[in-house]
Amino acid sequence: MGRILTMPLDREPEIDKKERLEVMRHSAAHVMAEAVQSIFPDARFGIGPSIENGFYYDFELPRSLTPDDLPSIEAKMGEIIALNAGFIREEMTKEKARRLLAAQPYKLELIDEIPDETVSLYRQGSFVDLCRGPHVTAAGEIKAFKLLNIAGAYWRGDEHRPMLQRIYGVAFDTEEALSEHLLWLEEIKKRDHRKLGRELEIFIFDDEVGPGLPLWLPNGGIIIEEIEKLAKETELKHGYVRVRTPHLAKEDLFKRSGHLPYYAESMYPPMEIEGVRYYVKPMNCPMHHKIFASKTRSYRDLPLRIAEYGTCYRYEKSGELLGLMRVRSMQMNDSHIYCSETQFGQEFAAVVFLYLEYFKIFDIKEYYMRLSTHHPSGLGKKYVNNSAMWLKTEDMVRRAMDSNNIPYREAVDEAAFYGPKIDVQVKSAIGQEYTLATNQVDFAQAESFDLKFANEKGQEERPLIIHRAPLSTHERLVGFLLEHYGGAFPVWLAPVQVTVIPVADRHLDYARKLEAGLSSEGVRVKVDARSERMSLKIRQAQLDKVPYMLVVGDKEVATATVSVRLRSGEQLPAQSLASFEETVRTVIADKARDLK
RNA sequence: GCCAGCGUAGCUCAGUGGUAGAGCAGCGGUUUCGUAAACCGCUGGUCAAGAGUUCGACUCUCUUCGCUGGCUCCA
């Protein structure tokens, strides 16, 4: 139902404001379409909704747009808004709407899909659009807006259909809010993990090595070592065993596992050795299944939790790569848990609780769990063809989540090929949502690998398998953490934890003594021994986001103390080295974010 | 992979159909300094790669590679 937007007084002002903005953004999309139509009379129109912070509209045009077109479209929009034409809603039969929009094939397609007998159209100035509404009453209500970029977008999101040209814009109710938003866009560029990764010398990509194949620099190596240490300690505590497996395997293994039928398009092409085809592994599971099958298993062995930081390779289309977030070589915090059906609920929930344990350490608060289920239309194509097991395991996951009061959302058609999964969606500090951790059920591979164990009655039973990667891959986790912390890692992860800054060269001996003391405590410490001014060294340590700076000059040497500057700029009281060591030890041991 | 844009020194960026520039970084000196940039000098480039147009291409055209923003796809 179209609704003329007025100002109801009985509504929550915040909700009302949000809705009013959405309506205004949607109307801005129509105005943009009108502007485009006036420049390209033959334009064909796709859809033009409001989105977070703004709007877009998809067009089919006689030529490609370039960024240079945006100012003239913006100017035209300004003229349209100045005319303040009313948005007029008309309801009519589909037949009449088809005649009116006869030159608009995309609109005709949309009309065909509307179940109702009548449809609504909105008219403003010279532009008419099929639209559910609502809209502003007149174009003059559209306030501060800006067109940001153009992009290709497949009609209806289908890569087999034509690619339209999309223009994105942002719109706010005041100029202040708009410039605030534009400022924020500038700010988040500084927090981009690709920029921070280069500045802090965490990782690089090299054209000759290849796209999506990161090289970890020494600083990145330290962070990865720390994360692995955490994973190994935690997994030991939770009863996991560690294995190691090769990067390659014969074709037959991946045929058996189901990767070749269901996952081939994400795998690198095979290589042939002595007449046998080998594939680089996209996942570790088949290898772990072989380890499970390497001897007779009893119910007493279960749950068997096999863990490995396995390196996997996946072919991602070139346009899909994104810094560390989407790569082609990755090290996964992988494990496969083999358990009986009765153990499943508890094991599955234990993995979810493991996520929460990690998220607490990394101070990750913005996330939600997503139950990704199959869609029947994908059976035998995307998904292993066993409808009964899909329904059964999806229900088992729901029960495991519900009985532990863990909230989740369901997403149909997002499952892995071998079973449903819980994905943990996190929002990075710069607003992008990623699947970080994952917890997957596998009902298919136990059968294809003929995995079994002897139960209490001495009968053979199939285990269920849980694939899990709570710490994601090193690549995605470090990429996420770079943005999450803005490069200012907590001390336990910081590549350099303490920089000692001698005021003048004569303080170098004392600085070296401090370095030796801290180093023997396992603290990652460096002396900035350059013949430079102290303030330059402080600046350098600040830019490197080193948590602690120890400034030492005549005063410190004389009193055998250290002057502690935090990277926040805060100054701690002068103290003995022993006292500082105590602080650092505690902060590292607690994996604390606070430096004091 | 698709659409568009971009690619100049290690980094950030100027620049032009007629001999390639700056700041920072690096290197060599001078300076020995108290909480975010001392001073002087030097080095550093097949202007992403290849082909074409032109008397002459870093600049114009084409192809390839890479990156960026989206779309599609995903840990």
Side-chain angles (χ1 to χ4, degrees), chain A residues 204-230:
Chain A
I204 54 162
F205 287 96
D206 183 277
D207 287 357
E208 205 165 0
V209 174
L213 304 171
L215 303 180
W216 293 99
L217 302 176
N219 287 341
I222 288 170
I223 294 169
I224 283 180
E225 295 287 341
E226 288 293 344
I227 290 169
E228 280 198 24
K229 206 194 298 174
L230 168 68

PDB file of all heavy atoms in Angstrom, chain A residues 204-230:
ATOM      1  N   ILE A 204      52.778  -8.300   2.275  1.00  0.00           N
ATOM      2  CA  ILE A 204      52.744  -7.654   0.964  1.00  0.00           C
ATOM      3  C   ILE A 204      52.173  -8.635  -0.053  1.00  0.00           C
ATOM      4  O   ILE A 204      52.093  -9.838   0.208  1.00  0.00           O
ATOM      5  CB  ILE A 204      54.163  -7.239   0.471  1.00  0.00           C
ATOM      6  CG1 ILE A 204      55.103  -8.446   0.512  1.00  0.00           C
ATOM      7  CG2 ILE A 204      54.711  -6.088   1.273  1.00  0.00           C
ATOM      8  CD1 ILE A 204      56.339  -8.284  -0.329  1.00  0.00           C
ATOM      9  N   PHE A 205      51.782  -8.101  -1.180  1.00  0.00           N
ATOM     10  CA  PHE A 205      51.522  -8.925  -2.354  1.00  0.00           C
ATOM     11  C   PHE A 205      52.564  -8.529  -3.388  1.00  0.00           C
ATOM     12  O   PHE A 205      52.965  -7.371  -3.461  1.00  0.00           O
ATOM     13  CB  PHE A 205      50.127  -8.667  -2.911  1.00  0.00           C
ATOM     14  CG  PHE A 205      49.044  -9.258  -2.050  1.00  0.00           C
ATOM     15  CD1 PHE A 205      48.387  -8.478  -1.110  1.00  0.00           C
ATOM     16  CD2 PHE A 205      48.708 -10.590  -2.178  1.00  0.00           C
ATOM     17  CE1 PHE A 205      47.398  -9.028  -0.308  1.00  0.00           C
ATOM     18  CE2 PHE A 205      47.725 -11.148  -1.382  1.00  0.00           C
ATOM     19  CZ  PHE A 205      47.067 -10.369  -0.444  1.00  0.00           C
ATOM     20  N   ASP A 206      52.999  -9.482  -4.166  1.00  0.00           N
ATOM     21  CA  ASP A 206      53.970  -9.206  -5.213  1.00  0.00           C
ATOM     22  C   ASP A 206      53.403  -9.709  -6.533  1.00  0.00           C
ATOM     23  O   ASP A 206      52.933 -10.837  -6.621  1.00  0.00           O
ATOM     24  CB  ASP A 206      55.290  -9.927  -4.892  1.00  0.00           C
ATOM     25  CG  ASP A 206      56.357  -9.609  -5.924  1.00  0.00           C
ATOM     26  OD1 ASP A 206      56.383 -10.253  -6.994  1.00  0.00           O
ATOM     27  OD2 ASP A 206      57.137  -8.680  -5.676  1.00  0.00           O
ATOM     28  N   ASP A 207      53.458  -8.829  -7.543  1.00  0.00           N
ATOM     29  CA  ASP A 207      52.866  -9.182  -8.831  1.00  0.00           C
ATOM     30  C   ASP A 207      53.430 -10.473  -9.390  1.00  0.00           C
ATOM     31  O   ASP A 207      52.730 -11.241 -10.039  1.00  0.00           O
ATOM     32  CB  ASP A 207      53.101  -8.055  -9.846  1.00  0.00           C
ATOM     33  CG  ASP A 207      52.222  -6.853  -9.543  1.00  0.00           C
ATOM     34  OD1 ASP A 207      51.421  -6.932  -8.602  1.00  0.00           O
ATOM     35  OD2 ASP A 207      52.365  -5.842 -10.245  1.00  0.00           O
ATOM     36  N   GLU A 208      54.731 -10.680  -9.155  1.00  0.00           N
ATOM     37  CA  GLU A 208      55.353 -11.850  -9.752  1.00  0.00           C
ATOM     38  C   GLU A 208      55.022 -13.124  -8.974  1.00  0.00           C
ATOM     39  O   GLU A 208      55.062 -14.226  -9.532  1.00  0.00           O
ATOM     40  CB  GLU A 208      56.879 -11.644  -9.829  1.00  0.00           C
ATOM     41  CG  GLU A 208      57.525 -12.450 -10.911  1.00  0.00           C
ATOM     42  CD  GLU A 208      58.936 -11.990 -11.236  1.00  0.00           C
ATOM     43  OE1 GLU A 208      59.441 -11.024 -10.616  1.00  0.00           O
ATOM     44  OE2 GLU A 208      59.544 -12.607 -12.097  1.00  0.00           O
ATOM     45  N   VAL A 209      54.710 -12.987  -7.700  1.00  0.00           N
ATOM     46  CA  VAL A 209      54.269 -14.157  -6.928  1.00  0.00           C
ATOM     47  C   VAL A 209      52.850 -14.521  -7.354  1.00  0.00           C
ATOM     48  O   VAL A 209      52.554 -15.675  -7.631  1.00  0.00           O
ATOM     49  CB  VAL A 209      54.323 -13.876  -5.417  1.00  0.00           C
ATOM     50  CG1 VAL A 209      53.726 -15.040  -4.627  1.00  0.00           C
ATOM     51  CG2 VAL A 209      55.760 -13.635  -4.979  1.00  0.00           C
ATOM     52  N   GLY A 210      51.996 -13.525  -7.438  1.00  0.00           N
ATOM     53  CA  GLY A 210      50.657 -13.785  -7.941  1.00  0.00           C
ATOM     54  C   GLY A 210      49.584 -13.167  -7.077  1.00  0.00           C
ATOM     55  O   GLY A 210      49.781 -12.967  -5.883  1.00  0.00           O
ATOM     56  N   PRO A 211      48.424 -12.889  -7.690  1.00  0.00           N
ATOM     57  CA  PRO A 211      47.330 -12.285  -6.949  1.00  0.00           C
ATOM     58  C   PRO A 211      46.774 -13.239  -5.900  1.00  0.00           C
ATOM     59  O   PRO A 211      46.679 -14.441  -6.141  1.00  0.00           O
ATOM     60  CB  PRO A 211      46.265 -12.005  -8.012  1.00  0.00           C
ATOM     61  CG  PRO A 211      46.793 -12.498  -9.304  1.00  0.00           C
ATOM     62  CD  PRO A 211      48.107 -13.150  -9.089  1.00  0.00           C
ATOM     63  N   GLY A 212      46.426 -12.699  -4.770  1.00  0.00           N
ATOM     64  CA  GLY A 212      45.803 -13.505  -3.725  1.00  0.00           C
ATOM     65  C   GLY A 212      46.765 -14.412  -2.991  1.00  0.00           C
ATOM     66  O   GLY A 212      46.339 -15.296  -2.255  1.00  0.00           O
ATOM     67  N   LEU A 213      48.076 -14.202  -3.209  1.00  0.00           N
ATOM     68  CA  LEU A 213      49.079 -15.040  -2.551  1.00  0.00           C
ATOM     69  C   LEU A 213      49.952 -14.153  -1.673  1.00  0.00           C
ATOM     70  O   LEU A 213      50.978 -13.643  -2.107  1.00  0.00           O
ATOM     71  CB  LEU A 213      49.942 -15.753  -3.611  1.00  0.00           C
ATOM     72  CG  LEU A 213      49.155 -16.602  -4.618  1.00  0.00           C
ATOM     73  CD1 LEU A 213      50.046 -17.088  -5.751  1.00  0.00           C
ATOM     74  CD2 LEU A 213      48.482 -17.780  -3.928  1.00  0.00           C
ATOM     75  N   PRO A 214      49.536 -13.919  -0.423  1.00  0.00           N
ATOM     76  CA  PRO A 214      50.246 -12.952   0.420  1.00  0.00           C
ATOM     77  C   PRO A 214      51.607 -13.470   0.870  1.00  0.00           C
ATOM     78  O   PRO A 214      51.790 -14.665   1.066  1.00  0.00           O
ATOM     79  CB  PRO A 214      49.309 -12.785   1.627  1.00  0.00           C
ATOM     80  CG  PRO A 214      48.481 -14.016   1.648  1.00  0.00           C
ATOM     81  CD  PRO A 214      48.366 -14.501   0.239  1.00  0.00           C
ATOM     82  N   LEU A 215      52.525 -12.541   1.024  1.00  0.00           N
ATOM     83  CA  LEU A 215      53.813 -12.842   1.641  1.00  0.00           C
ATOM     84  C   LEU A 215      53.780 -12.183   3.016  1.00  0.00           C
ATOM     85  O   LEU A 215      53.586 -10.967   3.122  1.00  0.00           O
ATOM     86  CB  LEU A 215      54.968 -12.251   0.811  1.00  0.00           C
ATOM     87  CG  LEU A 215      55.042 -12.686  -0.650  1.00  0.00           C
ATOM     88  CD1 LEU A 215      56.241 -12.020  -1.334  1.00  0.00           C
ATOM     89  CD2 LEU A 215      55.136 -14.192  -0.789  1.00  0.00           C
ATOM     90  N   TRP A 216      53.968 -12.969   4.045  1.00  0.00           N
ATOM     91  CA  TRP A 216      53.958 -12.427   5.396  1.00  0.00           C
ATOM     92  C   TRP A 216      55.339 -11.898   5.732  1.00  0.00           C
ATOM     93  O   TRP A 216      56.321 -12.633   5.652  1.00  0.00           O
ATOM     94  CB  TRP A 216      53.553 -13.501   6.409  1.00  0.00           C
ATOM     95  CG  TRP A 216      52.135 -13.943   6.262  1.00  0.00           C
ATOM     96  CD1 TRP A 216      51.679 -15.064   5.633  1.00  0.00           C
ATOM     97  CD2 TRP A 216      50.970 -13.258   6.735  1.00  0.00           C
ATOM     98  NE1 TRP A 216      50.305 -15.121   5.695  1.00  0.00           N
ATOM     99  CE2 TRP A 216      49.846 -14.032   6.368  1.00  0.00           C
ATOM    100  CE3 TRP A 216      50.771 -12.068   7.447  1.00  0.00           C
ATOM    101  CZ2 TRP A 216      48.542 -13.647   6.678  1.00  0.00           C
ATOM    102  CZ3 TRP A 216      49.469 -11.701   7.753  1.00  0.00           C
ATOM    103  CH2 TRP A 216      48.382 -12.476   7.372  1.00  0.00           C
ATOM    104  N   LEU A 217      55.399 -10.653   6.127  1.00  0.00           N
ATOM    105  CA  LEU A 217      56.670 -10.042   6.523  1.00  0.00           C
ATOM    106  C   LEU A 217      56.953 -10.448   7.975  1.00  0.00           C
ATOM    107  O   LEU A 217      56.073 -10.983   8.656  1.00  0.00           O
ATOM    108  CB  LEU A 217      56.562  -8.522   6.373  1.00  0.00           C
ATOM    109  CG  LEU A 217      56.196  -8.067   4.941  1.00  0.00           C
ATOM    110  CD1 LEU A 217      55.999  -6.564   4.884  1.00  0.00           C
ATOM    111  CD2 LEU A 217      57.262  -8.505   3.945  1.00  0.00           C
ATOM    112  N   PRO A 218      58.172 -10.175   8.463  1.00  0.00           N
ATOM    113  CA  PRO A 218      58.493 -10.604   9.834  1.00  0.00           C
ATOM    114  C   PRO A 218      57.462 -10.158  10.880  1.00  0.00           C
ATOM    115  O   PRO A 218      57.115 -10.953  11.765  1.00  0.00           O
ATOM    116  CB  PRO A 218      59.847  -9.943  10.085  1.00  0.00           C
ATOM    117  CG  PRO A 218      60.468  -9.889   8.720  1.00  0.00           C
ATOM    118  CD  PRO A 218      59.332  -9.621   7.770  1.00  0.00           C
ATOM    119  N   ASN A 219      56.951  -8.952  10.775  1.00  0.00           N
ATOM    120  CA  ASN A 219      55.949  -8.511  11.757  1.00  0.00           C
ATOM    121  C   ASN A 219      54.676  -9.349  11.673  1.00  0.00           C
ATOM    122  O   ASN A 219      54.059  -9.670  12.694  1.00  0.00           O
ATOM    123  CB  ASN A 219      55.598  -7.034  11.540  1.00  0.00           C
ATOM    124  CG  ASN A 219      56.725  -6.111  11.980  1.00  0.00           C
ATOM    125  OD1 ASN A 219      57.599  -6.516  12.738  1.00  0.00           O
ATOM    126  ND2 ASN A 219      56.714  -4.887  11.489  1.00  0.00           N
ATOM    127  N   GLY A 220      54.278  -9.672  10.458  1.00  0.00           N
ATOM    128  CA  GLY A 220      53.108 -10.528  10.289  1.00  0.00           C
ATOM    129  C   GLY A 220      53.384 -11.922  10.827  1.00  0.00           C
ATOM    130  O   GLY A 220      52.510 -12.560  11.422  1.00  0.00           O
ATOM    131  N   GLY A 221      54.613 -12.369  10.622  1.00  0.00           N
ATOM    132  CA  GLY A 221      54.996 -13.682  11.128  1.00  0.00           C
ATOM    133  C   GLY A 221      54.828 -13.767  12.632  1.00  0.00           C
ATOM    134  O   GLY A 221      54.352 -14.783  13.154  1.00  0.00           O
ATOM    135  N   ILE A 222      55.180 -12.695  13.334  1.00  0.00           N
ATOM    136  CA  ILE A 222      55.043 -12.694  14.794  1.00  0.00           C
ATOM    137  C   ILE A 222      53.575 -12.815  15.193  1.00  0.00           C
ATOM    138  O   ILE A 222      53.212 -13.605  16.068  1.00  0.00           O
ATOM    139  CB  ILE A 222      55.658 -11.399  15.383  1.00  0.00           C
ATOM    140  CG1 ILE A 222      57.177 -11.475  15.267  1.00  0.00           C
ATOM    141  CG2 ILE A 222      55.217 -11.209  16.833  1.00  0.00           C
ATOM    142  CD1 ILE A 222      57.888 -10.180  15.590  1.00  0.00           C
ATOM    143  N   ILE A 223      52.724 -12.065  14.528  1.00  0.00           N
ATOM    144  CA  ILE A 223      51.303 -12.093  14.865  1.00  0.00           C
ATOM    145  C   ILE A 223      50.737 -13.501  14.635  1.00  0.00           C
ATOM    146  O   ILE A 223      50.007 -14.039  15.471  1.00  0.00           O
ATOM    147  CB  ILE A 223      50.546 -11.039  14.031  1.00  0.00           C
ATOM    148  CG1 ILE A 223      51.015  -9.641  14.436  1.00  0.00           C
ATOM    149  CG2 ILE A 223      49.043 -11.184  14.204  1.00  0.00           C
ATOM    150  CD1 ILE A 223      50.558  -8.541  13.518  1.00  0.00           C
ATOM    151  N   ILE A 224      51.114 -14.093  13.514  1.00  0.00           N
ATOM    152  CA  ILE A 224      50.630 -15.435  13.202  1.00  0.00           C
ATOM    153  C   ILE A 224      51.120 -16.449  14.228  1.00  0.00           C
ATOM    154  O   ILE A 224      50.359 -17.308  14.684  1.00  0.00           O
ATOM    155  CB  ILE A 224      51.076 -15.818  11.786  1.00  0.00           C
ATOM    156  CG1 ILE A 224      50.184 -15.092  10.784  1.00  0.00           C
ATOM    157  CG2 ILE A 224      51.016 -17.315  11.579  1.00  0.00           C
ATOM    158  CD1 ILE A 224      50.519 -15.378   9.361  1.00  0.00           C
ATOM    159  N   GLU A 225      52.386 -16.325  14.618  1.00  0.00           N
ATOM    160  CA  GLU A 225      52.926 -17.250  15.620  1.00  0.00           C
ATOM    161  C   GLU A 225      52.135 -17.139  16.923  1.00  0.00           C
ATOM    162  O   GLU A 225      51.844 -18.143  17.570  1.00  0.00           O
ATOM    163  CB  GLU A 225      54.405 -16.942  15.909  1.00  0.00           C
ATOM    164  CG  GLU A 225      55.344 -17.168  14.731  1.00  0.00           C
ATOM    165  CD  GLU A 225      55.585 -18.641  14.431  1.00  0.00           C
ATOM    166  OE1 GLU A 225      55.327 -19.484  15.320  1.00  0.00           O
ATOM    167  OE2 GLU A 225      56.019 -18.929  13.306  1.00  0.00           O
ATOM    168  N   GLU A 226      51.797 -15.921  17.302  1.00  0.00           N
ATOM    169  CA  GLU A 226      51.046 -15.724  18.543  1.00  0.00           C
ATOM    170  C   GLU A 226      49.653 -16.330  18.447  1.00  0.00           C
ATOM    171  O   GLU A 226      49.154 -16.926  19.401  1.00  0.00           O
ATOM    172  CB  GLU A 226      50.952 -14.233  18.888  1.00  0.00           C
ATOM    173  CG  GLU A 226      52.261 -13.614  19.368  1.00  0.00           C
ATOM    174  CD  GLU A 226      52.720 -14.157  20.721  1.00  0.00           C
ATOM    175  OE1 GLU A 226      51.906 -14.774  21.431  1.00  0.00           O
ATOM    176  OE2 GLU A 226      53.913 -13.975  21.053  1.00  0.00           O
ATOM    177  N   ILE A 227      49.023 -16.147  17.291  1.00  0.00           N
ATOM    178  CA  ILE A 227      47.675 -16.694  17.120  1.00  0.00           C
ATOM    179  C   ILE A 227      47.727 -18.226  17.155  1.00  0.00           C
ATOM    180  O   ILE A 227      46.894 -18.880  17.776  1.00  0.00           O
ATOM    181  CB  ILE A 227      47.050 -16.176  15.808  1.00  0.00           C
ATOM    182  CG1 ILE A 227      46.745 -14.685  15.943  1.00  0.00           C
ATOM    183  CG2 ILE A 227      45.786 -16.953  15.475  1.00  0.00           C
ATOM    184  CD1 ILE A 227      46.380 -14.012  14.638  1.00  0.00           C
ATOM    185  N   GLU A 228      48.743 -18.780  16.507  1.00  0.00           N
ATOM    186  CA  GLU A 228      48.861 -20.249  16.513  1.00  0.00           C
ATOM    187  C   GLU A 228      49.120 -20.767  17.921  1.00  0.00           C
ATOM    188  O   GLU A 228      48.621 -21.816  18.309  1.00  0.00           O
ATOM    189  CB  GLU A 228      49.978 -20.708  15.571  1.00  0.00           C
ATOM    190  CG  GLU A 228      49.520 -20.725  14.137  1.00  0.00           C
ATOM    191  CD  GLU A 228      50.405 -21.552  13.213  1.00  0.00           C
ATOM    192  OE1 GLU A 228      51.111 -22.470  13.700  1.00  0.00           O
ATOM    193  OE2 GLU A 228      50.396 -21.254  12.012  1.00  0.00           O
ATOM    194  N   LYS A 229      49.927 -20.011  18.654  1.00  0.00           N
ATOM    195  CA  LYS A 229      50.210 -20.414  20.030  1.00  0.00           C
ATOM    196  C   LYS A 229      48.898 -20.458  20.829  1.00  0.00           C
ATOM    197  O   LYS A 229      48.619 -21.411  21.549  1.00  0.00           O
ATOM    198  CB  LYS A 229      51.192 -19.418  20.667  1.00  0.00           C
ATOM    199  CG  LYS A 229      52.018 -20.019  21.787  1.00  0.00           C
ATOM    200  CD  LYS A 229      52.737 -18.985  22.626  1.00  0.00           C
ATOM    201  CE  LYS A 229      53.741 -18.131  21.886  1.00  0.00           C
ATOM    202  NZ  LYS A 229      54.289 -17.056  22.775  1.00  0.00           N
ATOM    203  N   LEU A 230      48.088 -19.419  20.658  1.00  0.00           N
ATOM    204  CA  LEU A 230      46.795 -19.375  21.339  1.00  0.00           C
ATOM    205  C   LEU A 230      45.939 -20.575  20.933  1.00  0.00           C
ATOM    206  O   LEU A 230      45.334 -21.246  21.772  1.00  0.00           O
ATOM    207  CB  LEU A 230      46.071 -18.064  20.987  1.00  0.00           C
ATOM    208  CG  LEU A 230      44.605 -17.988  21.393  1.00  0.00           C
ATOM    209  CD1 LEU A 230      44.478 -17.936  22.909  1.00  0.00           C
ATOM    210  CD2 LEU A 230      43.923 -16.771  20.768  1.00  0.00           C
TER     211      LEU A 230
END
